[in-house]
Amino acid sequence: GNTCGGTASFTSTTVALSGGNIPAADVSGNGTCQVTAEVSPTSPGTWVNTILTTEVSSSEGNADRDASATLTANNLAAITGSKVFSATHVHGFGTQSFTIRLNNPNAIALTGVSYTDTFPNTLVVASPTAILSNSCGGAVTNNLAASGPIVDGSLGVKLAGGTIPANGSCSLVVTVRPSNNTTFLDANANNTLGAGTVRSTQLVTNTAAISGTIRVQRGAQVGKAFVPAAIASEATTTLVITLRN
């Protein structure tokens, strides 16, 4: 804004006024006018902005003193998040949805948000509905360096150029399945974005890991056991055959 008249001009690093007028003093006090601009610090710290007396000129000469203002820019709070599967288990030939949620506790939007999420080797992306939704914006590709399209069997996902709104969150939801449907497995699959792997233009990142776990159960297993396993000669025991699905 400009209440001084004349011409106020602004660049990314300067504010200038030419041809302005400061009202005369009256019984209420000195005459004043203002030029205002919105600014944003490039990094945390204490910033001092000074206009020297020699940088102000008027019909009455230069200013009688330097004018300074101090801005303290605090560190922005870290990104937090969660990873949630739509069920506790995923079975062979089955799928589950997988949500990666990012939270921004700051009063400004975080832009240029990026991460690469490589799945554990027991999970892959499932199609045809690989990407169910994406409120983060930006581009979503596979996790490989070449950043190709997500297809059935992709080993992970990559986000680039996303935005987390101020005091808000965004989510990417994808479909996952077991990487192998028939080989027997009954184990947890833990998927983690490590600390510092979610990045933004504002240099805000996640200081804690973001993880989620699902139980992968696939294939069948045959087991055999004698009960009891040790007997006397010519005694009898029971052979137990266990089938696990």
Side-chain angles (χ1 to χ4, degrees):
N2 175 21
T3 64
C4 298
T7 301
S9 58
F10 307 88
T11 71
S12 61
T13 57
T14 63
V15 176
L17 175 69
S18 62
N21 292 284
I22 307 173
D26 56 25
V27 293
S28 62
N30 294 331
T32 61
C33 68
Q34 292 181 333
V35 176
T36 59
E38 291 188 356
V39 299
S40 179
T42 56
S43 62
T46 300
W47 301 87
V48 180
N49 177 252
T50 300
I51 301 176
L52 301 175
T53 58
T54 54
E55 295 175 324
V56 178
S57 61
S58 72
S59 58
E60 299 297 321
N62 294 335
D64 65 342
R65 69 193 71 181
D66 296 344
S68 295
T70 301
L71 173 67
T72 300
N74 297 317
N75 285 308
L76 293 172
I79 295 169
T80 61
S82 61
K83 290 187 170 187
V84 178
F85 293 90
S86 56
T88 57
H89 295 69
V90 62
H91 300 282
F93 299 100
T95 63
Q96 298 294 347
S97 65
F98 171 48
T99 301
I100 305 169
R101 177 187 175 98
L102 300 177
N103 306 312
N104 173 18
N106 300 289
I108 63 169
L110 299 179
T111 58
V113 175
S114 65
Y115 61 78
T116 298
D117 189 6
T118 300
F119 295 167
N121 60 13
T122 54
L123 286 177
V124 294
V125 175
S127 66
T129 53
I131 302 175
L132 296 176
S133 64
N134 174 24
S135 63
C136 298
V140 180
T141 59
N142 66 44
N143 65 311
L144 302 179
S147 301
I150 292 179
V151 297
D152 185 69
S154 291
L155 305 178
V157 295
K158 180 187 295 185
L159 174 70
T163 298
I164 315 175
N167 297 312
S169 62
C170 72
S171 297
L172 172 64
V173 185
V174 299
T175 307
V176 297
R177 64 170 176 83
S179 56
N180 179 300
N181 289 313
T182 56
T183 302
F184 178 80
L185 180 69
D186 183 10
N188 286 335
N190 182 264
N191 177 245
T192 299
L193 283 170
T197 58
V198 181
R199 299 179 175 88
S200 67
T201 301
Q202 292 73 25
L203 305 181
V204 179
T205 186
N206 59 315
T207 56
I210 302 171
S211 298
T213 300
I214 190 170
R215 190 84 174 176
V216 178
Q217 295 178 321
R218 69 191 191 199
Q221 185 182 54
V222 179
K224 288 184 178 182
F226 289 101
V227 181
I231 60 174
S233 177
E234 299 185 3
T236 61
T237 186
T238 301
L239 172 62
V240 179
I241 301 174
T242 302
L243 304 178
R244 296 185 63 194
N245 176 14

